[in-house]
């Protein structure tokens, strides 16, 4: 048996076995995003990595997540192979408007709604390199409205259990806004404020891995003032490294164009690198060790226990 | 004295994937007693009401009708594997592809089907060789609407004319993987043996003359190319599934008048059939069953 296999672990079903009507059908997972209770059951059963994708509205968080599943579905993921998901229907749903079948004419993504702030995509993957099955991955696509509320009211973080429990924060800075001289400072400041606020509300920030994504990077690479925008992004990177470099367990920066415009290069390799970063700990040992000293990192963060 | 085992094998596949063709052609091929390593008929089931009419249609070269949604069909095979002296009473239920689509939509299995899965020796998972599991994404500029593409927002509200996503819009790959995840949740014995049947393999052999890269002449490679999510799921979850891929032409050709005439002109009807796995090629449709039952000699 390959190390990391979980033959004896609890099955990955998230739904309880229910009896539906007189036919006594066996009911399985819905395929849609998981609620906190369902995540809690998975986290209780197996090592789990919880990732929060946060950023302004329309910054490409959902598209980024959709692209991960699309790469698995088209067989272009290099470092990891797909090993299961309880939320395949949710993944299909967010990719729908990017398919030929939908008739949308343009690859877009349905934006997430504030009611989805406590819902999670689920993925399992096996490393191609070492053949080991990685921790279950729970992905929270935090709507832009939630970030805005959290910046205005510190107490709102109490309503964001995913952020308080997160092992990884992937924060999106929208390159379309960064390429707009009227918007770029606000976009930069919003992310800085969020990270600053996070330090004051989240326990164990020193165990949080933070990834800054300059998303929709094609808006910069195709702009006539490309070099100026690239320099501005570089400035942000340097500024954040100074401000937050020692505040978190790690801090890395990526430039991503998950669905670039016509004739623009997609940055699938960068997306795969971020995914690999999420699942860098093959056994979830660090995660388990981190959970025990601090109940804030466990289910209490969800208000479940 | 050898004993007889009572075994079930479950056929799982979406609509139009060739389950009934396989079952019918298998029945014909099992009449061949020339090789002791094959499974062969040693008796006739009491009830042939389902398979006998299909068998006659198949022998005439007719297209088989769609499997009924109303009742569970299936067939009992009374078989022997002469090389090992094994006798098997094998029951293979034949559920319509629409039934599996409904299971996916409703996220349920009837308890009766769960019981069959629990007692079965393995699965025959059917995919059509020409079907595409990969998502058909809007990537090529020629497929995009220029006016829509000029819109800069990456997101869309539901106010457009595009129909919202629904279960029936799910890709085949998503449906099949989810159905296997259901099977995994039901099954009591792990790993579940899954014989992946790529049906209409004659199409691959015909198309590869012009499109060799799109139609690799190796079932394993075709599965990896067209159904990467499924292939990876099966390969990475060896704790849950063991699998083997077979290319199968159970009808022997297409349904044009010329093809039907060609099929009928083959003097030995079972020679219409072709099965390919690894370096093996023959008309022995019992190979996937034998693999599931642990009776497949890989050197044979």
């Amino acid at each position: 048996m390959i190390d990391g296999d979980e033959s004896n672990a609890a099955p990955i079903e998230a739904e309880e076995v229910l009896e539906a009507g007189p036919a006594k059908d066996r009911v399985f997972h819905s395929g849609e995003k998981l609620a906190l209770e369902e995540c809690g059951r998975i986290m209780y059963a197996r090592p789990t990595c919880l990732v929060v994708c946060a950023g302004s509205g329309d910054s490409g968080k959902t598209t980024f997540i959709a692209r991960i599943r699309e790469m698995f579905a088209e067989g272009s993921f290099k470092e990891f192979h797909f090993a299961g998901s309880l939320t395949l229907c949710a993944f299909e749903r967010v990719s729908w408007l990017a398919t030929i079948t939908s008739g949308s004419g343009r690859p877009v993504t349905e934006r997430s709604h504030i009611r989805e702030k406590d819902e999670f995509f689920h993925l399992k993957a096996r490393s191609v390199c070492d053949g080991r099955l990685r921790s279950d991955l729970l992905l929270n696509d935090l709507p832009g409205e939630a970030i805005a509320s959290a910046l205005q009211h510190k107490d709102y973080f109490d309503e964001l259990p995913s952020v308080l429990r997160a092992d990884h924060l992937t924060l999106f800075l929208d390159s379309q806004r960064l390429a707009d001289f009227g918007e770029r400072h606000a976009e930069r400041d919003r992310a800085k404020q969020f990270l600053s606020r996070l330090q004051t509300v989240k326990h164990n920030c020193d165990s949080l891995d933070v990834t800054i994504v300059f998303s929709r990077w094609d808006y910069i690479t195709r702009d006539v003032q490309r070099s100026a925008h690239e320099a501005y992004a570089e400035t942000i990177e340097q500024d954040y490294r100074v401000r937050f470099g020692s505040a978190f367990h790690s801090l890395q920066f990526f430039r991503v164009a998950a669905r670039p415009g016509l004739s623009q290069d997609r940055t699938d390799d960068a997306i795969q690198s971020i995914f690999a970063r999420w699942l860098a700990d093959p056994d979830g040992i660090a995660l388990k060790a981190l959970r025990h000293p601090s109940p804030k990192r466990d289910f209490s963060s969800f208000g479940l226990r | 004295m050898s004993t007889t085992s009572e075994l079930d094998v479950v056929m799982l596949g979406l609509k139009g994937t060739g389950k009934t063709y396989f079952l019918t052609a298998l029945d014909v091929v099992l009449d061949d007693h020339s090789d002791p390593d094959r499974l062969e008929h040693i008796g006739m089931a009491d009830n042939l009401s389902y398979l006998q009419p299909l068998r006659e249609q198949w022998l005439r070269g007719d297209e088989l009708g769609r499997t009924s949604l109303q009742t569970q069909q299936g067939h009992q095979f009374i078989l022997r594997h002469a090389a090992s002296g094994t006798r098997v009473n094998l029951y293979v239920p034949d559920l319509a592809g629409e039934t599996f689509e409904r299971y996916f939509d409703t996220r349920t299995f009837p308890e009766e089907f769960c019981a069959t899965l629990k007692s079965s020796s393995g699965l025959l998972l059917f995919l059509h060789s020409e079907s595409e599991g990969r998502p058909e994404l809007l990537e090529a500029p020629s497929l995009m609407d220029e006016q829509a593409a000029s819109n800069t927002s990456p997101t869309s509200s539901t106010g457009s004319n595009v129909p919202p996503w629904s279960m029936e819009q799910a890709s085949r790959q998503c449906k099949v993987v989810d159905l296997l995840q259901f099977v995994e949740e039901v099954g009591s014995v792990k790993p579940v043996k899954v014989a992946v049947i790529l049906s209409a393999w004659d199409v691959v052999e015909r198309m590869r003359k012009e499109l060799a890269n799109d139609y690799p002449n190796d079932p394993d490679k075709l599965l990896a190319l067209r159904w990467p999510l499924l292939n990876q799921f099966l390969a990475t979850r060896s704790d849950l599934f063991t699998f083997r891929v077979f290319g199968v032409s159970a009808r022997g050709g297409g349904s044009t008048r010329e093809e039907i005439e060609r099929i009928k002109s083959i003097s030995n009807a079972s020679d219409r059939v072709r099965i390919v796995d690894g370096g093996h090629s023959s008309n022995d449709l019992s190979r996937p069953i034998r693999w599931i039952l642990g009776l497949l000699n890989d050197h044979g």
Side-chain angles (χ1 to χ4, degrees):
Chain A
M1 190 176 83
I2 298 169
D3 287 346
D5 278 354
E6 295 164 356
S7 305
N8 298 322
I12 59 172
E13 59 197 300
E15 293 284 327
E16 290 182 354
V17 179
L18 301 172
E19 291 185 354
K24 279 192 165 184
D25 289 346
R26 167 95 187 244
V27 181
F28 302 98
H29 58 274
S30 70
E32 300 294 348
K33 287 199 279 186
L34 304 179
L36 287 174
E37 292 81 359
E38 295 167 312
C39 293
R41 280 197 286 273
I42 292 172
M43 295 165 75
Y44 195 71
R46 293 184 298 279
T48 306
C49 178
L50 197 155
V51 177
V52 171
C53 292
S56 308
D58 278 358
S59 59
K61 304 178 292 294
T62 312
T63 305
F64 176 86
I65 291 170
R67 185 68 201 138
I68 289 171
R69 201 279 315 198
E70 288 163 14
M71 283 192 282
F72 279 120
E74 66 191 20
S76 62
F77 222 110
K78 295 171 191 163
E79 290 183 45
F80 288 91
H81 280 166
F82 174 80
S85 170
L86 293 168
T87 56
L88 281 178
C89 295
F91 278 119
E92 290 266 324
R93 187 186 298 278
V94 294
S95 290
W96 170 236
L97 295 177
T99 64
I100 297 168
T101 322
S102 74
S104 73
R106 177 173 171 259
V108 289
T109 309
E110 194 81 45
R111 68 182 303 177
S112 55
H113 192 274
I114 187 66
R115 65 173 176 269
E116 300 172 68
K117 73 178 181 63
D118 294 330
E119 296 178 355
F120 298 77
F121 293 95
H122 171 261
L123 263 178
K124 280 187 84 71
R126 188 185 289 276
S127 164
V128 172
C129 181
D130 63 18
R132 302 177 81 172
L133 200 60
R134 292 297 204 258
S135 306
D136 284 45
L137 185 65
L138 295 171
L139 270 168
N140 179 229
D141 174 15
L142 201 62
E145 298 94 316
I147 299 294
S149 299
L151 287 178
Q152 291 172 28
H153 307 286
K154 181 180 177 184
D155 292 347
Y156 189 76
F157 272 97
D158 292 339
E159 295 178 37
L160 299 176
S162 59
V163 175
L164 299 178
R165 165 59 184 84
D167 302 299
H168 285 263
L169 171 70
T170 302
L171 188 58
F172 289 68
L173 276 85
D174 178 17
S175 294
Q176 187 185 19
R177 291 187 177 96
L178 294 179
D180 179 335
F181 289 104
E183 288 285 335
R184 64 180 186 170
H185 297 298
E187 180 68 4
R188 172 184 181 167
D189 185 66
R190 199 176 295 125
K192 186 207 75 177
Q193 291 289 83
F194 183 77
L195 290 174
S196 300
R197 177 59 62 84
L198 191 63
Q199 288 179 277
T200 67
V201 297
K202 182 172 169 60
H203 289 246
N204 295 333
C205 265
D206 56 347
S207 65
L208 179 72
D209 292 294
V210 176
T211 304
I212 304 291
V213 173
F214 293 104
S215 58
R216 305 168 75 198
W217 186 247
D218 51 309
Y219 276 92
I220 284 180
T221 56
R222 68 172 182 240
D223 195 278
V224 290
Q225 300 193 62
R226 172 179 178 166
S227 57
H229 301 319
E230 285 177 333
Y232 188 70
E234 189 64 34
T235 306
I236 294 174
E237 189 170 331
Q238 289 171 9
D239 178 33
Y240 284 14
R241 282 191 193 283
V242 171
R243 288 178 187 275
F244 306 112
S246 59
F248 302 108
H249 183 251
S250 68
L251 178 67
Q252 284 194 18
F253 295 80
F254 292 87
R255 283 129 177 93
V256 165
R259 280 202 225 290
L262 301 178
S263 77
Q264 296 288 310
D265 289 334
R266 200 149 53 192
T267 56
D268 287 350
D269 286 348
I271 297 173
Q272 293 188 30
S273 296
I274 294 167
F275 187 86
R277 183 167 149 74
W278 293 342
L279 295 181
D281 179 8
D283 299 317
I285 290 171
L287 302 177
K288 279 188 280 189
L290 284 168
R291 279 198 204 124
H292 290 299
S294 170
K296 279 287 182 188
R297 291 189 61 83
D298 214 313
F299 301 108
S300 56
S301 301
F302 287 154
L304 297 175
R305 293 193 168 186
Chain B
M1 193 175 116
S2 64
T3 57
T4 301
S5 304
E6 303 286 337
L7 300 170
D8 292 351
V9 169
V10 171
M11 296 198 299
L12 190 155
L14 305 177
K15 59 188 174 189
T17 51
K19 298 181 291 299
T20 305
Y21 275 106
F22 178 89
L23 193 68
T24 309
L26 175 67
D27 189 53
V28 174
V29 169
L30 290 172
D31 286 342
D32 184 343
H33 290 214
S34 63
D35 182 352
D37 201 34
R38 292 181 168 208
L39 288 175
E40 59 191 27
H41 281 307
I42 54 166
M44 294 174 75
D46 291 342
N47 185 348
L48 292 174
S49 61
Y50 179 57
L51 208 56
Q52 185 61 27
L54 292 170
R55 184 180 166 109
E56 290 176 14
Q57 282 178 274
W58 186 90
L59 289 168
R60 282 196 296 269
D62 292 345
E63 287 194 78
L64 306 183
R66 301 216 71 91
T67 306
S68 168
L69 292 168
Q70 305 305 319
T71 55
Q72 179 172 316
Q73 315 282 2
H75 186 69
Q76 183 83 43
F77 295 98
I78 302 169
L79 305 172
R80 177 181 65 181
H81 182 240
S84 64
T86 306
R87 289 167 178 258
V88 180
N89 285 351
L90 181 73
Y91 182 70
V92 185
D94 186 12
L95 294 176
E98 289 85 346
T99 301
F100 290 108
E101 305 252 1
R102 194 176 70 235
Y103 291 169
F104 171 80
D105 290 354
T106 60
R107 322 298 293 173
T108 60
F109 282 165
E111 277 300 339
E112 184 186 9
F113 184 64
C114 291
T116 304
L117 280 172
K118 283 179 182 170
S119 64
S120 73
S121 302
L123 287 181
L124 295 166
L125 174 63
F126 288 79
L127 310 170
H128 195 286
S129 290
E130 275 197 302
S131 290
E132 185 58 75
R134 291 171 295 185
E136 296 177 303
L137 296 173
L138 267 167
E139 291 178 312
S142 60
L143 295 172
M144 293 193 204
D145 178 338
E146 280 185 30
Q147 193 174 0
S150 65
N151 182 349
T152 57
S153 173
T155 59
S156 170
S157 64
T158 50
S160 69
N161 293 326
V162 178
W165 186 88
S166 59
M167 284 289 188
E168 56 263 38
Q169 311 288 2
S171 65
R172 295 183 189 93
Q173 199 166 216
C174 166
K175 290 179 179 177
V176 172
V177 170
D178 241 354
L179 287 169
L180 284 177
Q181 291 189 130
F182 294 174
V183 168
E184 181 265 319
E185 288 183 30
V186 168
S188 53
V189 179
K190 305 266 182 358
V192 178
K193 294 186 97 171
V194 180
V196 179
I197 308 291
L198 294 170
S199 63
W201 190 252
D202 51 292
V203 175
V204 174
E205 295 188 332
R206 193 166 62 243
M207 295 298 289
R208 73 178 306 272
K209 291 170 187 164
E210 295 174 9
L211 300 165
N213 289 338
D214 293 336
Y215 292 89
N217 195 25
D218 177 338
D220 287 294
K221 288 180 180 169
L222 190 77
L223 183 76
L225 176 71
R226 296 274 185 81
W227 302 78
L229 199 77
L230 171 64
N231 184 54
Q232 290 176 16
F233 178 63
L234 289 170
T236 57
R237 300 313 301 268
S238 55
D239 53 325
L240 306 178
F241 301 101
T242 55
F243 76 110
R244 183 160 173 157
V245 191
F246 301 84
V248 168
S249 175
R251 177 173 159 75
S255 54
T256 63
R257 184 186 298 176
E258 294 76 18
E259 277 287 280
I260 292 170
E261 289 305 314
R262 184 187 63 76
I263 290 168
K264 287 195 290 190
S265 70
I266 297 171
S267 57
N268 181 4
S270 64
D271 286 343
R272 298 175 189 171
V273 174
R274 187 62 35 198
I275 182 164
V276 176
D277 70 291
H280 178 93
S281 177
S282 73
N283 70 346
D284 179 14
L285 280 193
S286 75
R287 285 180 68 83
I289 308 280
R290 283 197 282 135
W291 176 73
I292 287 173
L293 302 183
L295 298 173
L296 183 62
N297 172 10
D298 268 328
H299 305 294

